[in-house]
Amino acid sequence: MDSYAFISYQTSDKALAGRVKNELTSIGINSFLAHEDIEVSAEWRIKLLEELKKADLFICLLSNNYFSSLWCVQESGIAAFRESITIIPLSIDGCVPKGFISHIQSKKIDKDKDLLDHLLPGLIMHNPKQTTNGIIKIIGKSRNYKYAEANFQLILPYLNKLTDEQITTLLEVSAQNDQVHHAGLCATEYIPRLLKTHGQLLSTEKREFLNSICQGRLALKRN
């Protein structure tokens, strides 16, 4: 079943919360963001409770401002009470989880850098198949060599969680996107590693195509 996230944040951090929502969307996870998803005329307290009940992921953006907000503290308390929800605390200013979520390790984030790296460990733990499928789609949509390498690096720590079918799909999207199979690290390190273990699952045409590209890049690298 696909995941659904509730993003909990203090109003002053709504821009950062919007970035978290965009990152989740990029890997196929829908989420609720109060300032975007509650209509002005809605009974917002009821809506918040409905969304907290529906979510199976709770992502909170911790800060001193967060813990000074009565509503944020209540949201995290409700999430902690639910046994079927995964809580991912991201610390903006070094604050650690308090109260009912104090037993959960938070991740200090750099607001100026990509947030997906900070989200992935918790998302993988919660729903590995949906998350890794989402990363594979991101790799397949890489727009240039730099993004292709960076996107491929997202999946590397989790290769042991991929099924044979997923690795085959990863090789296929790499074959379809020339920004991936021509990217230096992808062609000389990442794709050859997967071809060695799973190349036999590809069609002969795609396997020979990728092998040819990778061997050519390796030869250029040696020279």
Side-chain angles (χ1 to χ4, degrees):
M1 184 175 69
D2 287 349
S3 299
Y4 183 69
F6 185 105
I7 304 172
S8 178
Y9 63 98
Q10 205 274 340
T11 305
S12 61
D13 297 315
K14 66 181 181 180
L16 185 64
R19 288 174 55 198
V20 171
K21 183 180 178 74
N22 290 338
E23 295 286 15
L24 294 173
T25 300
S26 73
I27 57 172
I29 296 177
N30 292 322
S31 60
F32 173 79
L33 195 63
H35 77 273
E36 289 186 359
D37 298 332
I38 293 182
E39 296 179 6
V40 175
S41 59
E43 183 58 53
W44 60 272
R45 279 172 287 191
I46 295 175
K47 177 66 172 175
L48 286 174
L49 290 172
E50 289 175 348
E51 294 295 330
L52 277 166
K53 183 178 180 180
K54 182 167 62 172
D56 58 347
L57 274 170
F58 182 83
I59 300 171
C60 45
L61 304 182
L62 305 184
S63 65
N64 285 314
N65 288 334
Y66 185 92
F67 289 113
S68 68
S69 166
L70 175 63
W71 297 110
C72 290
V73 172
Q74 287 184 330
E75 288 169 4
S76 63
I78 293 169
F81 181 74
R82 290 192 51 209
E83 295 181 358
S84 58
I85 198 167
T86 296
I87 299 174
I88 303 176
L90 301 179
S91 178
I92 298 172
D93 59 7
C95 276
V96 297
K98 300 178 183 179
F100 288 110
I101 62 170
S102 61
H103 63 291
I104 303 173
Q105 181 70 41
S106 62
K107 182 83 172 181
K108 177 71 165 63
I109 63 173
D110 184 340
K111 294 188 291 184
D112 297 323
K113 295 185 179 180
D114 188 3
L115 298 176
L116 190 55
D117 275 338
H118 300 304
L119 290 165
L120 282 179
L123 298 178
I124 291 285
M125 179 181 68
H126 176 73
N127 192 333
K129 186 172 183 180
Q130 183 185 10
T131 305
T132 49
N133 278 340
I135 301 173
I136 291 169
K137 288 180 181 178
I138 288 176
I139 294 169
K141 295 178 180 178
S142 299
R143 301 191 304 272
N144 57 46
Y145 297 162
K146 180 180 178 181
Y147 281 127
E149 292 179 349
N151 291 337
F152 220 111
Q153 287 163 6
L154 293 174
I155 201 78
L156 296 180
Y158 310 108
L159 289 178
N160 63 339
K161 295 185 179 295
L162 300 184
T163 64
D164 290 343
E165 181 181 1
Q166 286 180 303
I167 293 180
T168 303
T169 300
L170 177 54
L171 286 169
E172 288 175 344
V173 301
S174 298
Q176 291 163 5
N177 187 337
D178 62 354
Q179 300 303 304
V180 178
H181 61 248
H182 282 305
L185 289 174
C186 296
T188 60
E189 296 183 26
Y190 309 151
I191 295 174
R193 185 190 314 179
L194 299 181
L195 283 173
K196 186 176 181 179
T197 58
H198 289 77
Q200 72 279 6
L201 300 179
L202 291 172
S203 67
T204 302
E205 181 181 5
K206 286 183 179 177
R207 182 173 66 252
E208 291 180 349
F209 172 75
L210 284 175
N211 272 322
S212 174
I213 295 292
C214 293
Q215 289 170 8
R217 288 306 300 265
L218 281 168
L220 286 174
K221 184 179 180 180
R222 294 189 191 100
N223 295 332

